[in-house]
Amino acid sequence: MAIGSPKVRGPRKPVSAGSVVQIKTLIKHPMESGLRKDSSGNPIPEHYIKTVKAVYDGNTVMTADWTAGVSANPFYAFYVKATKTGDVVVTWEDSKGQSFTGKATLKIA
Amino acid sequence: MSDISGKDVTRRGFFRKMGTGAVACVAVSGVMGGVAGNAQASDINALISEKMGAGAIEEGKVQLKMKDKADNGALVRVPVKVDHPQEAGNYIESIGIFVDNNPRPAVAQFNLTPHSGKAEMEVRIKMAKSSAIRVIARTNSGKLYGATKNIEVAAGGCVG
């Protein structure tokens, strides 16, 4: 399965300063638990996203600690208080140390 | 005639095969989940204390707007909303999701900040079988709020 192609989406239209907006994220990842076996009985090694982090306007908005209990190709939505025009940068890091970054630009009306 | 019946047999054979496969999968996950689930049922509170901090958990503030039934255990929507301010000095700093009957019950933890604006989020998780899902929220002062919901999983299992 292809891995990566992170997507981060915020409101397309400008928002007023101080409003709270939803940021939706999606990334392609197998989220393999290490508990499953393939068709010939060999264990499939674990490979899942361990941490997610969002940074906006110089602040860490949220971090998340995941396990393989999160669905494959994980969708995740969180909220940010819009303060000024800028990027919400989301970084995912998986159990093999690979990291992925995506961003959405918030515009203040 | 013979042509049609030939097709018919093939199709039946196909469905029979599919049917058996599906049943076997559910049975295996059922047995595994059952054993693991019994062992974990008493440990889930200890696990929550370990991950979220010890203390009494107050019901009511955490809203878990999920359906009671999940068609697909590999993809269960978990929308969480905590009825609590999210401002400097008074905010929800952590939300944890626990599924009793999963092989690993501590599914995910989300650490929010006052910059989040509101204590709300949504994620999609795996559920190995029908189980209680517990969502626990901790405020910056260490107070715990929680919600529990029993979810019936129609076809879960194989994903773990």
Side-chain angles (χ1 to χ4, degrees), chain B residues 25-104:
Chain B
C25 169
V26 169
V28 166
S29 78
V31 169
M32 285 173 63
V35 171
N38 290 341
Q40 285 152 8
S42 55
D43 296 338
I44 191 85
N45 290 324
L47 183 70
I48 289 173
S49 300
E50 183 198 322
K51 296 276 181 187
M52 304 301 295
I57 297 169
E58 195 184 312
E59 300 275 326
K61 295 241 181 190
V62 177
Q63 294 174 34
L64 199 49
K65 285 195 175 156
M66 304 170 63
K67 289 181 189 161
D68 295 339
K69 283 185 180 176
D71 293 334
N72 179 3
L75 205 66
V76 183
R77 277 185 66 209
V78 185
V80 178
K81 191 175 176 180
V82 189
D83 185 15
H84 192 276
Q86 194 72 8
E87 56 201 25
N90 185 23
Y91 61 97
I92 297 294
E93 72 173 11
S94 184
I95 294 174
I97 299 175
F98 301 85
V99 177
D100 292 25
N101 289 341
N102 267 13
R104 292 176 184 134

Side-chain angles (χ1 to χ4, degrees), chain A:
Chain A
M1 187 197 291
I3 288 185
S5 55
K7 291 187 177 69
V8 181
R9 297 281 181 273
R12 254 183 289 168
K13 290 179 180 169
V15 297
S16 54
S19 61
V20 176
V21 300
Q22 188 188 43
I23 307 291
K24 294 176 184 173
T25 70
L26 192 65
I27 186 167
K28 281 188 179 159
H29 204 283
M31 298 301 282
E32 204 52 75
S33 65
L35 302 173
R36 298 201 308 157
K37 291 187 168 73
D38 66 16
S39 51
S40 47
N42 301 314
I44 302 172
E46 64 174 24
H47 187 200
Y48 59 91
I49 292 168
K50 282 187 134 165
T51 61
V52 189
K53 183 180 176 179
V55 175
Y56 165 65
D57 192 10
N59 297 307
T60 298
V61 175
M62 70 88 214
T63 61
D65 301 307
W66 287 1
T67 67
V70 174
S71 296
N73 303 328
F75 168 86
Y76 170 48
F78 61 94
Y79 289 82
V80 171
K81 191 172 200 173
T83 47
K84 66 178 190 186
T85 297
D87 292 338
V88 179
V89 180
V90 180
T91 308
W92 292 259
E93 196 170 325
D94 74 14
S95 55
K96 291 183 179 174
Q98 201 175 352
S99 73
F100 312 90
T101 303
K103 64 178 183 181
T105 305
L106 287 186
K107 293 187 199 84
I108 302 298

Side-chain angles (χ1 to χ4, degrees), chain B residues 117-133:
Chain B
K118 61 177 166 178
E120 208 175 319
M121 47 141 295
E122 180 179 334
V123 71
R124 289 172 195 169
I125 65 163
K126 300 176 196 169
M127 289 181 73
K129 57 175 281 198
S130 297
S131 171
I133 174 168

